[in-house]
Amino acid sequence: MTWSINSIPSQEGRTVFVTGANSGLGFDTAQALLEKGATVILGCRTLEKAERSRQKLLDETDCGKIDVLEIDLADLEKVNEALDKIAVKYKKLDLLINNAGVMAPPQTFSKQGFELQFAVNHLSHMALTLKLLPLIAKQPGSRVVTVSSGAQYMGKINLDDLQGGEGYDRWSSYSQSKLANVMFALELSKRLQQSNLDIASLSAHPGLARTNLQSTSVKLNGSWQEAIAYKLMDPMFQSSRMGALPQLLAATDPTAKTGEQYGPRFNFRGYPKICRIAPSALNSDEREQLWQLSEKLIGDAVDISKGKELLSTKK
């Protein structure tokens, strides 16, 4: 049976936090969940973008359960400050969707000096997940969905040079960050199960979805070759609303299980189904090493101590 927006069960009473909710997959995900009755926190890089998205959603959706949060994932200290606001305002969090991302920019660094794609796509989402874990754990049956990409299948984790200091290649760094997303989701699932926490961790990827990532990449790199390639490939791309279906399935379908990954039926477009995880992500030793290294890089910038404590408790 085809899974679509209509397959989403009622989300009444659920509180959801979506990063990168101002456009593309994040916006479409937020809209679908709002239409099903959820309270949605829009996580966006600036308040201006967040308020603009909030107003558009209010105009298009018959629901007012929308909150906004300014969260700059390129600065771990600002991530920490933003999440403190959620902890004060909300008593529980049913669903976290780690959706925001950057794709193939020229070599750029986060506020803490990390390669931007690794910082935004992986480190900040790991940090915010662990910081919010005590809030998520208050709601039985809660879920964390981490959004990856088909680039995971081409990714390789360079544990000796995660920041690309020995020679930056923007697409290799992007693929590494998307593989890291899946590795994090799997490792989190394992640790949640070991701690007997009733939280599911899943991953999803949109296939070839038409979002602002493509135009932003072309603009930042000034690549006419890339612009032509996207133009030629355009008929293969599906809408961002279709691309959002895998993460919506992972977030809401009662049969979706921790550790699973969902993607388009043909892995680049189509309705969602359970899909193959990149073989490199199945290496448990590498996942453990990546986790430990990531914790060290997050350091004291984000207070993840309570989340780590929850996961270290074997029950």
Side-chain angles (χ1 to χ4, degrees):
M1 184 174 126
T2 299
W3 198 95
S4 68
I5 292 285
N6 294 331
S7 306
I8 301 175
S10 171
Q11 299 297 297
E12 288 286 345
R14 298 188 87 196
T15 301
V16 182
F17 178 33
V18 183
T19 66
N22 56 287
S23 64
L25 304 176
F27 182 89
D28 288 322
T29 295
Q31 185 171 39
L33 294 171
L34 281 165
E35 288 170 350
K36 295 293 182 173
T39 295
V40 180
I41 307 166
L42 309 176
C44 306
R45 188 165 57 87
T46 67
L47 271 182
E48 180 185 3
K49 288 184 175 182
E51 288 293 351
R52 193 184 307 136
S53 300
R54 179 177 180 273
Q55 191 55 56
K56 186 177 180 183
L57 286 167
L58 286 172
D59 291 343
E60 297 180 2
T61 309
D62 186 22
C63 178
K65 301 176 183 177
I66 309 173
D67 201 356
V68 296
L69 181 73
E70 183 177 37
I71 182 166
D72 183 356
L73 297 174
D75 185 345
L76 285 169
E77 291 180 353
K78 287 188 177 179
V79 169
N80 193 55
E81 292 171 8
L83 298 181
D84 281 338
K85 296 176 182 178
I86 291 182
V88 168
K89 188 167 184 179
Y90 292 92
K91 295 180 180 179
K92 68 178 179 70
L93 188 63
D94 300 82
L95 177 59
L96 168 62
I97 302 183
N98 293 321
N99 165 82
V102 292
M103 185 179 76
Q107 189 170 26
T108 314
F109 299 95
S110 71
K111 181 69 181 295
Q112 284 70 37
F114 305 131
E115 191 276 315
L116 189 67
Q117 296 177 94
F118 188 77
V120 170
N121 298 352
H122 168 61
L123 276 184
S124 286
H125 281 117
M126 177 173 176
L128 72 85
T129 300
L130 294 180
K131 171 131 184 173
L132 291 174
L133 202 59
L135 201 60
I136 298 169
K138 290 181 179 180
Q139 185 62 24
S142 52
R143 296 187 189 187
V144 177
V145 177
T146 302
V147 180
S148 182
S149 158
Q152 65 178 278
Y153 302 113
M154 298 171 280
K156 181 180 179 182
I157 298 292
N158 188 346
L159 292 167
D160 297 321
D161 184 27
L162 290 170
Q163 310 304 326
E166 295 176 3
Y168 177 74
D169 179 272
R170 59 196 181 98
W171 287 108
S172 294
S173 293
Y174 177 68
S175 299
Q176 176 181 247
S177 73
K178 294 287 99 182
L179 176 59
N181 286 152
V182 184
M183 293 172 75
F184 167 67
L186 284 175
E187 187 64 19
L188 178 62
S189 176
K190 184 190 82 174
R191 292 172 182 239
L192 289 167
Q193 288 178 298
Q194 288 176 340
S195 302
N196 283 336
L197 291 170
D198 188 13
I199 304 170
S201 170
L202 305 94
S203 58
H205 80 83
L208 290 178
R210 197 177 292 109
T211 70
N212 65 343
L213 285 178
Q214 293 89 24
S215 58
T216 300
S217 177
V218 169
K219 183 179 179 180
L220 289 174
N221 292 284
S223 173
W224 61 267
Q225 298 98 327
E226 193 173 326
I228 291 174
Y230 282 133
K231 190 172 183 178
L232 292 173
M233 292 172 62
D234 188 68
M236 298 173 63
F237 279 72
Q238 59 184 356
S239 68
S240 64
R241 193 163 177 84
M242 280 293 293
L245 289 181
Q247 61 204 62
L248 284 165
L249 190 162
T252 66
D253 193 276
T255 65
K257 297 179 179 64
T258 190
E260 293 179 339
Q261 177 171 239
Y262 290 86
R265 183 169 295 164
F266 303 110
N267 233 19
F268 67 94
R269 62 178 296 145
Y271 287 94
K273 67 173 184 63
I274 194 166
C275 72
R276 182 175 66 98
I277 289 169
S280 299
L282 301 176
N283 187 319
S284 59
D285 290 337
E286 278 204 352
R287 290 204 312 266
E288 173 69 27
Q289 290 179 69
L290 177 63
W291 186 284
Q292 297 299 336
L293 282 169
S294 299
E295 279 190 352
K296 288 179 182 178
L297 293 174
I298 293 166
D300 296 327
V302 181
D303 183 7
I304 60 174
S305 58
K306 291 181 180 178
K308 287 171 62 177
E309 185 179 342
L310 277 174
L311 291 176
S312 66
T313 305
K314 304 294 188 292
K315 298 177 183 177

